[in-house]
């Protein structure tokens, strides 16, 4: 059967020229036949004629011999090349007859990752050999081929112009696709650094492994990776298995299978385990067996992730539709890829590149999904912040209401006793004290007064009602001084100042023999108010101060400074400045911004 290879028109060659050659093949199941064996009449007569340039062999352990005979070479044809379009071929040996040798000797040229450092072909994505310029028609050229991965071969002859054009197109195409995928990988890596979401790093690892896998599968690494290319191609199944693992981890994280689809999540983890076992098999040197097992693992992974995407889309999970679209494209390419590996369709540029092209399309679709996911996460974060602020405000309001309800039975009992005693001698003053107690109770029980800020005058009404009751109890033993500058703009949280005055009286003045004085000062600055509550009572020890600073509220401290410290920190990001010495008294200072603005 005659096969024609057409040389296209060029600037130097304005007419088409046909190279005519025949092709035959022979299976060597033992893998031990030599060229001498092949040329014996018994074996030579067993070659099977083939009317195409492709062999659909698929996966097997045999070595294959190809016999070609040049029938016609146009006189104006330039340098000729013979190519074997299978980048993963382990050994490719070309036997070319030596012209003018009467003994029938052949020159042998080697290619394939199995001949590391000993290759004699042209540096290209798949084996390409330069034919001698003086080669004549009518003599056989032999090819000995073997691969543990897939033994599909597209074999042909092209001239120098074809080779150059083919090489330029291939490099431009692959560079564009890989550049796109690496750019998307970089974008998502930056997203990972910003969000610290493992979904993005799983996707980056998947894309990088896909680029390495396609580099090995398509032989691109043979052009620019030097000796490392052979190691990469020989372990292409290992790279592919790790790629399967990374895409399973990515799918599980993206679709949240752990919580949404626990059964599918367990199936995915089982597939990951089998992938790791197959990697071990590959590393032990069982390349053929590992390659055979990797194909059903690839199919099962594709089907499982596709089913995950369908379930997630049906469940209305955000961005799942983009994931489904991207993975559907990938599944289509995997069908073509699997059919090529198993020898159902030929090993052509199209069937080799289909996964790479689909990967680029998938990466774009999944990047859209991940970008939409960032937007969704941002909205969720904003909603969470709003909920947190709402909860914080509710907490502060509830705490304020709780503090307002902290009426000490002992104080109420003593106040009523004082009023009862004064009724006998000064009914007018007793009436005033009843009104003060009523005002104090009204302020304490007014649960509607849980606004974040109140006016200084409102807080002072509460303080003065409390002070007058205490002064009625202790008479001239308690003096309260008010040194107030302009307080018209002063807004403050309720029950911030009154507990400070109450603590000064209860824990400072009362415990001091002979009573004492409490001074309440407000200083009006440009942007803030400085409030001081100072007493000349018994003061506090350094240990007591340390407990307050470390939020260790001691028993019997009343409303307590710790609650005030916590509220000030939440509202303003500030703290009380507490200055105290035993026997000298205590001064508490707080600074509030004008307008009651929180941090």
């Amino acid at each position: 059967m005659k096969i024609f290879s057409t040389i296209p028109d060029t600037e130097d060659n304005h007419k088409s020229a046909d190279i005519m050659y025949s092709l035959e093949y022979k299976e060597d199941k033992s893998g031990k036949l030599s060229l001498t064996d092949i040329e014996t009449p018994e074996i030579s007569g067993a070659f099977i004629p083939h009317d195409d340039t492709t062999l659909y062999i698929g996966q097997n352990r045999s070595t294959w011999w190809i016999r070609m005979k040049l029938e016609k070479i146009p006189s104006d044809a330039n340098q000729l090349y013979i190519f074997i379009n299978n980048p993963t071929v382990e050994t490719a040996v070309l036997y070319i007859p030596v012209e003018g040798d009467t003994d029938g000797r052949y020159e042998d040229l080697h290619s394939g990752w199995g001949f590391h450092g000993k290759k004699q072909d042209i540096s290209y994505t798949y084996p390409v050999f330069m034919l001698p310029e003086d080669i004549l028609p009518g003599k056989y050229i032999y090819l000995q081929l073997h691969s543990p991965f897939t033994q599909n071969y597209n074999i042909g002859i092209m001239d120098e112009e074809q080779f150059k054009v083919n090489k330029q197109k291939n490099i431009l195409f692959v560079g564009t696709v890989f550049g796109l995928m690496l750019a998307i990988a970089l974008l998502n890596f930056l997203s990972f650094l910003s969000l610290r979401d493992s979904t993005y790093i799983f996707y980056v690892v998947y894309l990088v492994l896909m680029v390495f896998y396609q580099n090995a599968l398509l032989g691109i690494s043979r052009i620019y990776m030097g000796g490392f290319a052979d190691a990469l191609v020989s372990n292409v199944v290992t790279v592919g298995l790790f790629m399967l693992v990374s895409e399973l981890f990515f799918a599980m994280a993206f679709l949240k299978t752990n919580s949404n689809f626990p059964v599918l999540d367990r199936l995915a983890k089982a597939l990951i385990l089998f992938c790791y076992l197959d990697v071990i098999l590959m590393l032990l040197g069982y390349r053929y067996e590992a390659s055979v097992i990797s194909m059903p693992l690839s199919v099962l992974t594709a089907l499982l992730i596709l089913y995950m995407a369908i379930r997630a889309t049906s469940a209305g999970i955000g961005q799942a539709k983009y994931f489904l679209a991207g993975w559907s494209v990938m599944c289509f390419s995997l069908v073509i890829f699997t059919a090529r590996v198993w020898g159902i369709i030929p090993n052509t540029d199209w069937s080799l590149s289909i996964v790479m092209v689909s990967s680029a399309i998938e990466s774009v679709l999944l990047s859209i999904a991940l970008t939409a996911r960032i937007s969704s996460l941002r909205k969720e974060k904003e909603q969470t912040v709003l909920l947190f602020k709402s909860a914080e405000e509710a907490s502060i309001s509830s705490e304020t209401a709780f503090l307002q309800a902290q009426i000490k039975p002992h104080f109420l009992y003593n106040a009523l006793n004082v009023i009862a005693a004064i009724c006998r001698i000064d009914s007018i003053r007793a009436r005033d004290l009843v009104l003060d107690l009523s005002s104090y109770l009204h302020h304490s029980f007014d649960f509607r007064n849980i606004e974040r800020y109140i006016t200084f005058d409102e807080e002072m009404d509460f303080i003065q009602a409390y002070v007058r009751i205490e002064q009625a109890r202790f008479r001239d033993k308690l003096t309260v001084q008010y040194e107030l500058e302009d307080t018209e703009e002063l807004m403050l949280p309720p029950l911030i100042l009154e507990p400070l005055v109450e603590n000064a009286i209860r824990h400072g003045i009362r415990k001091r023999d002979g009573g004492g004085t409490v001074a309440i000062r407000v200083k009006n600055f440009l942007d803030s108010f400085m409030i001081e509550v100072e007493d000349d009572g018994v003061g506090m020890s350094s240990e007591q101060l340390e407990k307050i600073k470390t939020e260790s509220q001691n028993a019997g401290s009343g409303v307590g400074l710790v609650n005030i410290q916590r509220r000030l920190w939440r509202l303003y990001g500030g703290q009380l400045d507490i200055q105290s010495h035993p026997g000298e008294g205590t001064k508490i200072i707080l600074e509030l911004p004008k307008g009651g603005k929180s941090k």
Side-chain angles (χ1 to χ4, degrees):
M1 179 67 67
K2 304 293 188 298
I3 301 174
F4 294 87
S5 177
T6 300
I7 301 174
D9 291 343
T10 66
E11 292 182 1
D12 300 323
N13 177 30
H14 298 287
K15 62 179 181 179
S16 295
D18 292 332
I19 303 172
M20 187 184 303
Y21 58 94
S22 62
L23 189 148
E24 301 171 294
Y25 67 93
K26 173 76 175 69
E27 183 179 8
D28 174 13
K29 292 184 179 181
S30 68
K32 297 179 180 179
L33 294 178
S34 66
L35 180 60
T36 303
D37 298 326
I38 290 296
E39 288 192 307
T40 59
E42 180 182 357
I43 298 178
S44 180
F47 271 82
I48 302 172
H50 194 58
D51 61 354
D52 197 357
T53 59
T54 59
L55 293 178
Y56 301 67
I57 299 172
Q59 288 181 308
N60 68 20
R61 299 174 184 270
S62 299
T63 297
W64 293 82
W65 286 84
I66 311 298
R67 187 167 68 184
M68 303 174 66
K69 181 185 288 186
L70 288 172
E71 304 288 350
K72 174 187 174 183
I73 302 177
S75 59
D76 55 355
N78 52 29
Q79 177 65 58
L80 299 181
Y81 299 86
I82 184 169
F83 63 88
I84 303 99
N85 193 346
N86 184 339
T88 61
V89 64
E90 180 181 11
T91 58
V93 183
L94 176 67
Y95 295 94
I96 304 174
V98 177
E99 285 301 321
D101 188 271
T102 56
D103 296 331
R105 289 188 301 111
Y106 284 81
E107 177 187 6
D108 55 308
L109 303 176
H110 302 82
S111 183
W113 55 265
F115 290 116
H116 179 64
K118 300 178 182 179
K119 290 180 287 197
Q120 297 151 306
D121 63 339
I122 305 267
S123 179
Y124 192 51
T125 57
Y126 44 74
V128 177
F129 296 100
M130 182 185 295
L131 293 176
E133 294 183 3
D134 57 355
I135 190 169
L136 297 175
K139 291 191 175 182
Y140 282 121
I141 299 172
Y142 289 93
L143 274 171
Q144 183 186 27
L145 304 172
H146 175 73
S147 174
F149 305 130
T150 178
Q151 303 220 59
N152 284 358
Y153 302 105
N154 183 17
I155 304 165
I157 297 175
M158 57 184 167
D159 77 335
E160 188 168 10
E161 189 65 27
Q162 285 177 304
F163 179 61
K164 287 181 179 179
V165 172
N166 191 302
K167 190 173 183 178
Q168 289 172 354
K169 287 182 179 179
N170 200 358
I171 292 175
L172 178 62
F173 169 70
V174 172
T176 302
V177 174
F178 282 176
L180 172 65
M181 294 174 66
L182 290 174
I184 292 174
L186 177 61
L187 176 64
N188 283 280
F189 180 70
L190 295 176
S191 298
F192 165 73
L193 293 178
S194 174
L195 301 173
R196 296 295 176 181
D197 185 341
S198 60
T199 305
Y200 294 87
I201 198 64
F202 287 144
Y203 185 55
V204 170
V205 172
Y206 166 61
L207 282 178
V208 171
L209 287 174
M210 174 63 79
V211 169
F212 273 99
Y213 179 70
Q214 292 298 320
N215 261 283
L217 186 68
L218 301 177
I220 308 301
S221 57
R222 287 166 51 95
I223 296 178
Y224 62 88
M225 286 189 178
F228 179 70
D230 291 333
L232 181 61
V233 175
S234 66
N235 290 284
V236 63
V237 172
T238 303
V239 178
L241 289 167
F242 279 122
M243 185 183 67
L244 292 180
V245 171
S246 64
E247 67 188 9
L248 281 168
F249 274 122
F250 168 62
M252 292 161 63
F254 187 90
L255 301 175
K256 299 178 181 178
T257 56
N258 186 37
S259 57
N260 294 327
F261 314 108
V263 175
L264 297 180
D265 188 77
R266 288 193 290 271
L267 288 175
K269 290 176 180 176
L271 272 176
I272 290 172
L273 176 61
F274 281 116
C275 286
Y276 284 144
L277 293 175
D278 202 25
V279 168
I280 294 173
L281 192 65
M282 182 75 180
L283 296 177
L284 290 175
Y286 298 96
R287 285 188 169 87
Y288 174 78
E289 291 79 3
S291 179
V292 171
I293 295 172
S294 69
M295 292 313 302
L297 286 177
S298 300
V299 172
L300 289 174
T301 298
L303 292 176
L304 178 61
I305 295 178
L306 182 63
Y307 184 61
M308 286 179 180
I310 293 172
R311 287 283 302 275
T313 303
S314 300
I317 296 176
Q319 299 87 47
K321 59 183 180 181
Y322 296 107
F323 190 95
L324 176 60
W327 195 250
S328 297
V329 172
M330 179 57 70
C331 285
F332 170 75
S333 71
L334 288 175
V335 171
I336 304 299
F337 176 77
T338 304
R340 181 192 67 82
V341 171
W342 287 344
I344 300 174
I345 62 175
N347 205 65
T348 63
D349 289 338
W350 177 78
S351 62
L352 275 169
S353 304
I354 185 66
V355 175
M356 181 180 66
V357 175
S358 298
S359 299
I361 297 173
E362 181 202 36
S363 66
V364 172
L365 291 170
L366 292 184
S367 288
I368 294 173
L370 289 169
T371 302
R373 191 172 186 270
I374 292 175
S375 177
S376 176
L377 289 173
R378 186 179 292 113
K379 289 180 181 178
E380 288 179 8
K381 182 178 179 180
E382 291 173 355
Q383 184 66 26
T384 301
V385 170
L386 290 175
L387 290 173
F388 174 78
K389 287 184 177 179
S390 177
E392 183 183 33
E393 291 175 359
S395 173
I396 293 173
S397 297
S398 298
E399 183 178 350
T400 303
F402 171 77
L403 292 174
Q404 287 174 311
Q406 298 299 297
I407 303 301
K408 300 160 190 65
H410 190 64
F411 166 77
L412 185 59
Y413 174 76
N414 288 335
L416 290 174
N417 280 341
V418 169
I419 294 171
I422 293 177
C423 281
R424 301 176 185 176
I425 57 176
D426 192 342
S427 60
I428 294 176
R429 189 182 177 198
R431 181 182 66 85
D432 291 339
L433 287 174
V434 169
L435 292 176
D436 286 334
L437 181 60
S438 174
S439 175
Y440 179 85
L441 294 175
H442 174 75
H443 199 91
S444 297
F445 290 133
D446 185 9
F447 293 106
R448 293 171 299 173
N449 185 23
I450 57 175
E451 299 296 328
R452 189 171 233 185
Y453 304 102
I454 61 174
T455 65
F456 179 76
D457 289 342
E458 290 177 286
E459 185 76 358
M460 282 302 299
D461 288 343
F462 188 33
I463 291 171
Q464 289 173 339
Y466 171 76
V467 166
R468 285 192 291 268
I469 294 171
E470 290 288 55
Q471 285 177 327
R473 289 178 61 196
F474 298 102
R475 299 181 182 180
D476 56 353
K477 290 187 176 182
L478 174 63
T479 301
V480 178
Q481 299 175 349
Y482 301 95
E483 303 172 18
L484 310 176
E485 297 182 5
D486 182 15
T487 60
E488 184 177 351
E489 298 181 67
L490 177 53
M491 302 289 292
L492 71 168
L495 289 171
I496 283 289
L497 187 55
E498 191 277 337
L500 298 181
V501 176
E502 184 176 338
N503 280 343
I505 294 173
R506 292 181 63 231
H507 301 292
I509 303 303
R510 280 194 208 169
K511 295 180 180 180
R512 179 177 181 269
D513 295 337
T517 300
V518 176
I520 302 172
R521 306 184 186 93
V522 176
K523 299 178 181 179
N524 189 340
F525 295 109
L526 182 63
D527 298 318
S528 63
F529 290 95
M530 184 75 74
I531 302 176
E532 297 179 0
V533 177
E534 183 177 9
D535 67 77
D536 56 2
V538 296
M540 288 185 286
S541 66
S542 58
E543 290 80 8
Q544 289 173 307
L545 280 174
E546 186 63 28
K547 285 183 180 181
I548 293 173
K549 291 178 180 178
T550 56
E551 298 189 352
S552 299
Q553 184 179 3
N554 59 320
S557 63
V559 173
L561 298 177
V562 174
N563 284 329
I564 299 173
Q565 292 267 47
R566 186 168 62 248
R567 293 175 66 208
L568 285 174
W569 178 256
R570 275 193 283 185
L571 292 172
Y572 303 104
Q575 291 283 316
L576 294 173
D577 180 11
I578 306 174
Q579 305 169 8
S580 185
H581 300 282
E584 297 181 12
T586 301
K587 179 191 286 188
I588 299 177
I589 305 171
L590 64 152
E591 186 175 1
L592 303 179
K594 288 188 175 180
K597 295 179 181 179
S598 61
K599 63 176 179 178

